[in-house]
Amino acid sequence: GVSLTSAIGVLDPIHVGKANLFLSWTWRYQVGPLLEALLDYARRSGLPIGSCFLWICFFANNQRIWLRQPQDGIAVFRGNVSKVGRMVCLLDKYHDSLYFQRLWTLYEMFVACVVLKLKVDVAIMEDGRLDLPDVSLRQLSQRLSSIDISIARATFQSDEDAIWKQINEVHGGADGITMEIKNLLRTMLSDLILDH
């Protein structure tokens, strides 16, 4: 089997290029709101739409191969996000987000920003952005206080085990990572609030 990206590259090569934006997201998002949030992010960031080439795991990783031959997801993620050099974290909303419930996404944010020191931004789907102008920075901090990587989950137990091994043995445990994630989000979302 081939990946969807490879197939598109053959059929429509003008719309395929070297990825310059790694998307950290959850598979539970709907496509329409996801695309709208990415278009809004590109506009806010001054990125020309025609030159945004996204690395999205759903399209780039051949899931059939992964199911037959399990891969080291952490190494694959680190290699791909490092090659791309920039990541956008896509939230459905800024509080009680699906993103905050997923172990992979929180781990991706931490590794990309804190460990690899890459440029990391946040994009929010329209429903979540509508609330932003009415939120004070104090309210934002209160709403982010519920984030806790220790209660986040991955779909596969093998992924959870591998990520928890990294969190505990390499990165000093959940408390420090949770604090870093909250600080990152507070900064990124505060910028969005001030922009509105």
Side-chain angles (χ1 to χ4, degrees):
V2 297
S3 73
L4 183 56
T5 306
S6 298
I8 292 169
V10 171
L11 297 173
D12 197 4
I14 195 167
H15 293 108
V16 177
K18 183 179 182 300
N20 54 16
L21 192 59
F22 185 100
L23 181 65
S24 177
W25 67 302
T26 116
W27 287 38
R28 291 174 55 195
Y29 293 160
Q30 294 181 352
V31 174
L34 180 147
L35 292 173
E36 188 280 326
L38 290 172
L39 288 170
D40 177 74
Y41 167 76
R43 281 190 295 270
R44 278 188 302 102
S45 302
L47 300 172
I49 303 293
S51 64
C52 285
F53 295 101
L54 298 170
W55 193 99
I56 304 175
C57 60
F58 179 83
F59 295 108
N61 292 339
N62 187 321
Q63 303 302 317
R64 287 186 184 156
I65 291 174
W66 278 61
L67 290 173
R68 282 195 315 261
Q69 301 169 317
Q71 309 286 312
D72 178 351
I74 292 171
V76 170
F77 159 70
R78 287 179 73 130
N80 287 324
V81 77
S82 294
K83 279 189 255 179
V84 173
R86 181 177 186 171
M87 185 169 90
V88 62
C89 305
L90 181 60
L91 311 180
D92 51 325
K93 50 190 174 181
Y94 70 93
H95 61 91
D96 300 324
S97 175
L98 291 172
Y99 191 94
F100 304 153
Q101 299 168 24
R102 306 301 303 153
L103 185 59
W104 262 116
T105 53
L106 294 177
Y107 184 73
E108 288 170 356
M109 178 187 284
F110 172 77
V111 169
C113 196
V114 176
V115 177
L116 299 175
K117 308 231 182 288
L118 300 178
K119 174 145 179 61
V120 177
D121 296 311
V122 67
I124 304 179
M125 293 182 188
E126 185 176 25
D127 289 348
R129 283 195 318 272
L130 293 176
D131 293 340
L132 281 176
D134 299 326
V135 176
S136 71
L137 296 180
R138 175 182 241 178
Q139 289 170 316
L140 175 65
S141 290
Q142 290 170 340
R143 290 185 177 158
L144 293 177
S145 67
S146 65
I147 296 171
D148 183 353
I149 198 168
S150 68
I151 59 174
R153 295 289 168 251
T155 302
F156 298 106
Q157 187 62 47
S158 58
D159 286 346
E160 276 195 36
D161 294 343
I163 292 170
W164 278 109
K165 183 175 183 181
Q166 289 288 305
I167 287 171
N168 291 320
E169 295 179 11
V170 178
H171 303 300
D175 291 343
I177 290 178
T178 294
M179 185 181 69
E180 290 280 0
I181 290 168
K182 286 178 185 179
N183 289 337
L184 292 169
L185 283 164
R186 190 175 299 110
T187 300
M188 289 187 277
L189 291 171
S190 295
D191 292 344
L192 274 180
I193 289 170
L194 295 173
D195 285 349
H196 279 84

